[in-house]
Amino acid sequence: MKLGARIFKTGIAVTLALSLASMMNFPSPLFAGISAVFAMQPTIYRSYLSLVEQVQANIIGAVFAIVSVLLFGHNPFIVGLTAILVIALCLQLRLESTISVALVTVIAIMEYTNANFIQFAAIRFSTIMLGVLAAFVVNLIFLPPKYEKKLYYHITENTEAILKWIRMNIRHASEHHVLKEDIEKLKEKVIKLDQLYLLYKEERMYLQKNRYQRSRKLVLYRQMISATNRALDTLKVLHRLENELYHMPDEFQQTVRAQLDCLLYYHEQILLKFIGKAKFHQQSEIANEACHEKKRLVEAFYQYNRQGNEHHLFLLIGTIIAYGEQLEHLDKLIDSFQQYHKDAEAFELSDQEA
């Protein structure tokens, strides 16, 4: 089991919240620790949004709790009814993610039955807000997330797995049922790629120069994911038409294999070029070879169909061509980025976080 940065930050936030609450002599500092857990977010931007939303939700919870106690008392039925009203209002204000903390505020305040209720309510509200602020400070200062590095490595990891299966499939070396199971797993991983991309997109840049470079990187990573998706589409079609392709003439199979081998190598080199691990002139040669192989593939396909054969391989040829076009577009985007951002720093491979 590997512990991520967010787990450590949550522990630090809870420790800080409990320590501050104890130093300030707040009764029941436990509530500060609980709110710190709820307030921890995966990105600084989300942490800021969470801070704003939780302030609003806690104010709603505190106001409803105080009014309910002053008007109707501490009856458990009143506590439950107040909780319902708070949930309804949070949903109406689209503060769904803060409902838990708002309810903690309601229960923490309405449990008190002695005198000086207003003072107690203010202390409890402050205790809970202390936990929220502790989580925000910890997320801002400690172990800032590096989602770009994670995103690149997840893209390359998923892409390598897909390309491996394509190479095996076109050589009839893959087990049909095993590949079917892996395709489902790869689909799930691609969905996680989109989620990781959104986390990276939410990271904020404060210098104008960095913002412009970042916006271009967002386009690049979006295209990397698109190219990976096209590779997965190609694998799915190959798997679906595996039997049909196996019974095609050997010459046609060799043409398909040559084009795919070229595209797979092209894809690998593009990802390496982005981090400065591949030569530019080599990329041009690979791109020209991919274009040449595409023409051969189209010519072989038309020749095969003129002989009165079935047209079910239109899908495969179209998918392969679309995959190649995505790679060409990605290659051009990387060339453009590296031309206008020659001083951009490439992250170190050895610093990868899992």
Side-chain angles (χ1 to χ4, degrees):
M1 180 180 68
K2 193 167 186 177
L3 301 180
R6 187 178 178 183
I7 296 176
F8 285 109
K9 288 194 292 186
T10 301
I12 294 172
V14 170
T15 302
L16 178 62
L18 293 174
S19 300
L20 291 176
S22 298
M23 289 173 56
M24 300 174 71
N25 294 319
F26 283 167
S28 302
L30 174 67
F31 288 106
I34 293 174
S35 62
V37 173
F38 286 125
M40 184 56 62
Q41 298 294 322
T43 66
I44 295 175
Y45 179 65
R46 286 194 185 184
S47 186
Y48 167 74
L49 293 180
S50 176
L51 174 65
V52 174
E53 292 176 352
Q54 295 206 36
V55 169
Q56 297 173 358
N58 282 324
I59 291 175
I60 292 172
V63 170
F64 270 77
I66 292 172
V67 172
S68 296
V69 169
L70 293 179
L71 294 180
F72 306 107
H74 303 269
N75 188 285
F77 175 78
I78 299 300
V79 176
L81 181 60
T82 304
I84 292 174
L85 294 175
V86 169
I87 293 173
L89 184 56
C90 286
L91 290 175
Q92 185 67 28
L93 298 176
R94 298 182 179 179
L95 299 173
E96 295 91 342
S97 61
T98 61
I99 289 176
S100 299
V101 177
L103 293 180
V104 169
T105 303
V106 170
I107 296 171
I109 291 176
M110 295 188 73
E111 72 162 350
Y112 191 72
T113 57
N114 298 326
N116 301 322
F117 171 70
I118 298 298
Q119 180 182 356
F120 172 83
I123 293 175
R124 278 290 167 89
F125 174 78
S126 301
T127 303
I128 293 171
M129 286 308 306
L130 180 63
V132 174
L133 290 172
F136 176 73
V137 170
V138 169
N139 210 35
L140 190 67
I141 297 176
F142 293 94
L143 301 172
K146 299 178 181 179
Y147 285 110
E148 179 183 0
K149 191 182 298 184
K150 289 184 177 181
L151 179 60
Y152 176 81
Y153 275 90
H154 277 75
I155 290 174
T156 54
E157 180 183 345
N158 291 346
T159 301
E160 287 171 1
I162 294 169
L163 303 191
K164 176 195 71 176
W165 274 116
I166 292 177
R167 285 193 173 100
M168 292 177 63
N169 185 273
I170 59 179
R171 287 166 174 80
H172 311 297
S174 61
E175 288 288 344
H176 188 84
H177 68 280
V178 176
L179 175 54
K180 183 178 180 180
E181 293 175 358
D182 252 33
I183 285 176
E184 294 303 319
K185 295 178 183 178
L186 289 169
K187 288 179 182 177
E188 296 176 2
K189 290 182 178 180
V190 168
I191 293 174
K192 291 180 181 179
L193 267 185
D194 290 329
Q195 296 170 348
L196 194 56
Y197 174 81
L198 290 177
L199 292 175
Y200 171 61
K201 188 177 181 181
E202 288 176 357
E203 291 182 347
R204 289 295 181 263
M205 295 287 109
Y206 301 102
L207 297 178
Q208 186 63 36
K209 177 183 177 181
N210 292 340
R211 287 180 185 177
Y212 180 62
Q213 179 177 309
R214 170 63 173 282
S215 64
R216 294 178 68 98
K217 276 191 174 182
L218 284 172
V219 175
L220 265 177
Y221 283 116
R222 183 72 264 173
Q223 184 59 30
M224 283 186 191
I225 295 174
S226 296
T228 300
N229 282 327
R230 283 298 184 182
L232 181 57
D233 289 341
T234 303
L235 176 60
K236 289 189 288 187
V237 173
L238 284 169
H239 179 255
R240 175 181 166 188
L241 300 177
E242 184 177 4
N243 187 58
E244 288 85 347
L245 185 60
Y246 181 77
H247 290 92
M248 302 292 276
D250 290 340
E251 184 179 351
F252 184 80
Q253 291 188 50
Q254 291 173 4
T255 305
V256 172
R257 190 180 303 124
Q259 168 65 356
L260 283 173
D261 278 336
C262 183
L263 290 179
L264 301 184
Y265 184 61
Y266 189 23
H267 199 163
E268 291 169 336
Q269 295 302 306
I270 288 174
L271 294 177
L272 290 174
K273 181 172 76 169
F274 177 63
I275 56 173
K277 301 294 183 180
K279 299 179 180 179
F280 285 90
H281 71 272
Q282 186 180 21
Q283 291 293 313
S284 179
E285 294 174 0
I286 299 172
N288 291 333
E289 183 182 352
C291 182
H292 174 70
E293 293 294 341
K294 180 173 70 173
K295 293 178 180 178
R296 284 186 56 202
L297 177 65
V298 173
E299 291 172 358
F301 177 69
Y302 281 130
Q303 182 179 359
Y304 179 74
N305 276 276
R306 278 200 299 267
Q307 299 172 4
N309 294 291
E310 297 180 7
H311 297 265
H312 52 253
L313 290 181
F314 266 122
L315 176 61
L316 175 60
I317 304 304
T319 303
I320 293 174
I321 292 175
Y323 176 34
E325 289 174 347
Q326 291 292 328
L327 293 180
E328 291 173 9
H329 184 46
L330 176 59
D331 196 10
K332 291 177 182 178
L333 287 176
I334 293 176
D335 282 342
S336 176
F337 177 82
Q338 293 181 336
Q339 179 181 357
Y340 290 100
H341 300 280
K342 295 180 180 179
D343 57 341
E345 296 182 1
F347 46 79
E348 292 294 332
L349 301 180
S350 58
D351 293 336
Q352 163 62 6
E353 284 186 61

